[in-house]
Amino acid sequence: MGILDRHLHLLETHRAMQATGADPLVVMERVLSPTEAVINGRRTLLVGTNNYFGLTFDKACIEAAIEATRAEGTGTTGSRTANGTYAQHAALEAEMAEFYGKKHCMVMTTGYQANLGIISTLVGEGDYLVIDADSHASIYDACKQTQATIIRFRHNDPASLEARLRRLKDEPGNKLVVVEGIYSMLGDTAPLKAFVEVTKRYGGYILVDEAHSLGALGERGRGLVEEAGVLDEVDFVVGTFSKTLGAIGGFCVSDVEGFEALRVATRAYMFTASLPPSIVASVRAALKIVRKDGAVLRKRLWDNVATLYDGLAKAGFRLGPEHGPVVAVVMPDQMTTVGVWQALMEAGIYVNVAVPPATPGGLCLLRCSLSAAHSRGQLQHMVEVLAEVGHRFGVLPQERSAAVA
Amino acid sequence: MRSAHKFKVYDFTETVPGDSDTPAREQVVAEIVQRLEPFRVDSRPVVGATVITKDLNIDSLAVMDMVMELEDRFDISIPLNDVAEIHTVDELADAVLRKIGGH
C-alpha cells in the first residue's frame, strides 16, 4: 500500500468533477477588485470570497501595508516568542483588546492556528472540551491535539449542551464549551445567550469563534457576542483577520486572569513565524475603518444580503435558515451541484462548492458570501442567472418555498 | 438535515434520566443495531461482530452522530476519544454498558 493510498478516494471525487468539465479548484488569474476577477480568461463576479466589508482594495489599508514593508521589511522571519514581536504586533493587540473592551489579546498568524492553538492549550488532561457537532475543522483539529476529553452536542441545541454538562457536573476537570457566531457553511447563527446561560450555570468556560461575524454583527461590529448582549460573560473570543479585515491572521481576546500564560504555552503561537509587518499594518488600518465607518459598511452588507437571499428565495431555491453574510443554496446532489456551479462559471459568476464531508447533514451547497462592496445590480444579475440555471437543471421546486427547516 | 435553532423543538423524550433499571446487554445491542440498519451493505445483517466502519457504508461523521444519540438514549457520556478505540458493535455495546455502570 502506497503512502498516499488512503487519500485516493478524495482525489477520485475531485477527478469525477473534472470529468464533467468543472474544476472547483480555480485559479484567480487576475483579481480586479473585491468583487471581480479574471478566471479561465473570463471576467467573473465574485460571490464567494468572505470579503464581507470589501476592504482588500481599500486605499488606506494598501498604503499602510506598503509603508510598513518599506519601513520594516517583507517578513519578521521569526516567532512571536523570539524575534517576531514588533511594536506593531503589540499595538494591534492593544487595539483589538480595546475594541472588545477586554484586558488581553493574542495575535496569531492565521485564524486556523488561533482556534487550534488556543483551544488545545486551554484544556488538558482531566478537562472536558464540549463542542458543537458542526464545528469548523480548526476546532476538530484542536480536539486531536489536546489531552482533554471531547464531548459533542447537537448543532445549535442548548438543551443538548445542557444534558452533556449535567452528566459531567460531578467530574472535577474544567469544562470549555466552544461555539461559533455564524456557521460557515449554512450561515446560521448560534443561540448564544442560551449557550452562555447554560455554560455559566454549570460553571464552565465558553469560547466563541467569530470568524464570520466580526464586523457583520453587533452595534459596533464585535460579532454575535455583542449582538446577543453577552460580550462581558463570554470568556474567550477567537477571530480572524482574513475575512472582514481583508488580510490574514487570527486573534483571541479575553478577561480571564492568567491569559498571558498562553503566550508561552500555545505551540501554534510559539512555533511559527509571526505576521509580516505589511499584514499587521493593513489589519490595523482595517480595524480603524470598522470602528469609524462600520455602521455604513454593515448596512451595505445587510442590504446586499437581503437582495440575494430574498431574490433567491423568491425564485424558489432552498436556502440556509436565516439572512446572513453567508447564503447557502441547497442542491439535490453532488453532480447537480457541480453542474450548476460550472454553468455559473460560464456565465461569469463564482461561488463556492461545498459538499460532504465539509458540510453539515450531508448537504450539497453552493455557498455564496456577500460583501459591502457588491452593487445591488451585481446581485440582481446573479439572482437572474442562478434562477435560469436552476430551471435548466431542474433544481427549482414547483412551490415557492425558501428556508431549510 | 440538522435544523436551525429557530425551528427546533427541544425533545427530552429520548433521554431516560433517573431510569434505575440497567438495560440488558441484548437491549443495548438492539438499540445499536437498529441505528446501524440503514448503513447495511447488501443484505448482510448487522451483528455483534460487525466492524462498524469497515463492514457498513457509514462515515465517521455518522458514527459520531449515532454515539450522540446513544448518549441521550442512555443518559451517559461517551467521549470522542473513546470512539476511536471502538471497532465492533459488541465493543460499542460494552462501552455503553460500562458507562451505564458508572465506569
Side-chain angles (χ1 to χ4, degrees):
Chain A
M1 180 170 156
I3 197 164
L4 290 169
D5 284 2
R6 72 168 62 83
H7 304 300
L8 286 182
H9 68 284
L10 298 170
L11 194 60
E12 277 160 23
T13 304
H14 179 221
R15 286 195 176 136
M17 289 184 188
Q18 281 178 318
T20 68
D23 189 353
L25 303 182
V26 300
V27 175
M28 301 273 166
E29 285 149 17
R30 209 149 50 87
V31 178
L32 306 170
S33 75
T35 63
E36 284 189 301
V38 176
I39 307 173
N40 297 331
R42 188 182 294 113
R43 200 179 173 104
T44 301
L45 170 62
L46 304 174
V47 195
T49 59
N50 310 309
N51 198 350
Y52 300 126
F53 276 7
L55 295 182
T56 47
F57 281 78
D58 180 87
K59 278 204 172 58
C61 295
I62 290 172
E63 288 308 320
I66 292 169
E67 180 56 35
T69 303
R70 287 198 201 289
E72 301 188 303
T74 53
T76 68
T77 67
S79 155
R80 289 295 311 272
T81 50
N83 59 298
T85 295
Y86 292 11
Q88 278 219 64
H89 293 84
L92 174 56
E93 285 176 340
E95 287 157 9
M96 286 300 296
E98 195 206 343
F99 177 54
Y100 278 95
K102 299 274 189 192
K103 288 195 195 97
H104 309 282
C105 175
M106 245 169 91
V107 162
M108 319 226 343
T109 303
T110 70
Y112 170 87
Q113 286 171 329
N115 265 345
L116 180 72
I118 300 284
I119 295 169
S120 64
T121 308
L122 282 173
V123 283
E125 194 168 0
D127 294 332
Y128 291 86
L129 178 53
V130 186
I131 65 165
D132 185 287
D134 286 0
S135 289
H136 187 260
S138 54
I139 296 168
Y140 273 104
D141 289 356
C143 294
K144 289 187 185 167
Q145 204 166 93
T146 180
Q147 300 299 308
T149 300
I150 318 297
I151 301 282
R152 193 168 167 263
F153 62 90
R154 282 173 214 277
H155 175 56
N156 271 354
D157 186 340
S160 179
L161 172 63
E162 169 153 27
R164 277 145 186 82
L165 291 176
R166 177 178 51 73
R167 288 171 201 142
L168 298 174
K169 71 180 190 307
D170 296 326
E171 303 293 335
N174 285 308
K175 286 108 195 177
L176 176 67
V177 173
V178 175
V179 298
E180 297 174 37
I182 292 178
Y183 282 82
S184 63
M185 285 296 140
L186 285 176
D188 48 339
T189 52
L192 190 57
K193 212 172 171 58
F195 278 149
V196 169
E197 189 277 316
V198 169
T199 303
K200 294 294 153 185
R201 186 145 42 85
Y202 285 91
Y205 294 84
I206 186 162
L207 179 150
V208 182
D209 175 4
E210 298 271 18
H212 294 271
S213 32
L214 168 63
L217 293 177
E219 200 183 335
R220 290 163 64 186
R222 293 178 291 184
L224 187 63
V225 288
E226 183 179 24
E227 181 115 342
V230 293
L231 180 52
D232 292 341
E233 295 155 82
V234 163
D235 301 287
F236 304 95
V237 174
V238 171
T240 179
F241 302 144
S242 68
K243 296 178 170 69
T244 295
L245 298 176
I248 191 168
F251 70 89
C252 176
V253 293
S254 176
D255 274 332
V256 171
E257 209 171 311
F259 182 85
E260 295 299 316
L262 286 172
R263 288 191 201 274
V264 288
T266 305
R267 299 171 68 83
Y269 176 83
M270 300 161 70
F271 296 99
T272 193
S274 66
L275 285 172
S278 57
I279 299 297
V280 178
S282 84
V283 169
R284 291 179 70 193
L287 181 62
K288 267 193 200 131
I289 294 169
V290 169
R291 299 180 76 165
K292 189 167 146 284
D293 306 322
V296 175
L297 292 164
R298 200 154 33 253
K299 181 169 186 313
R300 253 183 240 160
L301 171 64
W302 283 91
D303 285 350
N304 285 339
V305 167
T307 300
L308 186 69
Y309 189 102
D310 297 347
L312 293 176
K314 202 172 161 216
F317 285 103
R318 215 178 140 214
L319 305 174
E322 56 185 300
H323 274 198
V326 174
V327 173
V329 187
V330 180
M331 293 284 121
D333 56 69
Q334 189 156 310
M335 289 325 281
T336 310
T337 311
V338 176
V340 172
W341 180 84
Q342 177 66 10
L344 283 179
M345 287 298 288
E346 281 161 15
I349 298 172
Y350 171 80
V351 298
N352 308 130
V353 169
V355 294
T359 53
L363 288 171
C364 291
L365 306 170
L366 292 174
R367 178 186 177 276
C368 312
S369 51
L370 280 307
S371 174
H374 283 127
S375 71
R376 178 186 291 245
Q378 284 177 320
L379 299 171
Q380 284 168 338
H381 170 68
M382 162 149 186
V383 170
E384 282 169 26
V385 171
L386 188 52
E388 186 275 313
V389 174
H391 280 297
R392 191 162 15 117
F393 279 79
V395 171
L396 288 175
Q398 296 303 314
E399 76 283 344
R400 302 194 148 191
S401 64
V404 178
Chain B
M1 118 114 251
R2 292 183 189 81
S3 42
H5 56 95
K6 291 184 179 172
F7 306 99
K8 188 95 188 176
V9 177
Y10 300 134
D11 184 5
F12 279 109
T13 54
E14 277 186 38
T15 316
V16 284
D19 186 350
S20 57
D21 295 336
T22 304
R25 192 167 199 292
E26 301 77 66
Q27 190 198 333
V28 173
V29 171
E31 294 271 0
I32 296 167
V33 168
Q34 175 207 326
R35 285 173 174 79
L36 290 175
E37 286 286 329
F39 303 100
R40 267 168 34 170
V41 178
D42 305 326
S43 55
R44 274 191 293 166
V46 182
V47 295
T50 299
V51 180
I52 297 168
T53 52
K54 267 204 185 125
D55 298 342
L56 302 171
N57 185 20
I58 189 168
D59 61 23
S60 57
L61 202 62
V63 173
M64 289 195 290
D65 286 347
M66 176 189 63
V67 166
M68 205 155 54
E69 281 184 27
L70 293 172
E71 286 185 312
D72 289 332
R73 173 66 186 84
F74 295 108
D75 200 31
I76 52 173
S77 300
I78 308 176
L80 286 195
N81 320 52
D82 297 357
V83 176
E85 309 295 317
I86 294 167
H87 303 290
T88 65
V89 170
D90 276 336
E91 286 169 9
L92 179 55
D94 290 340
V96 168
L97 286 162
R98 268 200 308 278
K99 298 293 179 185
I100 295 171
H103 302 292

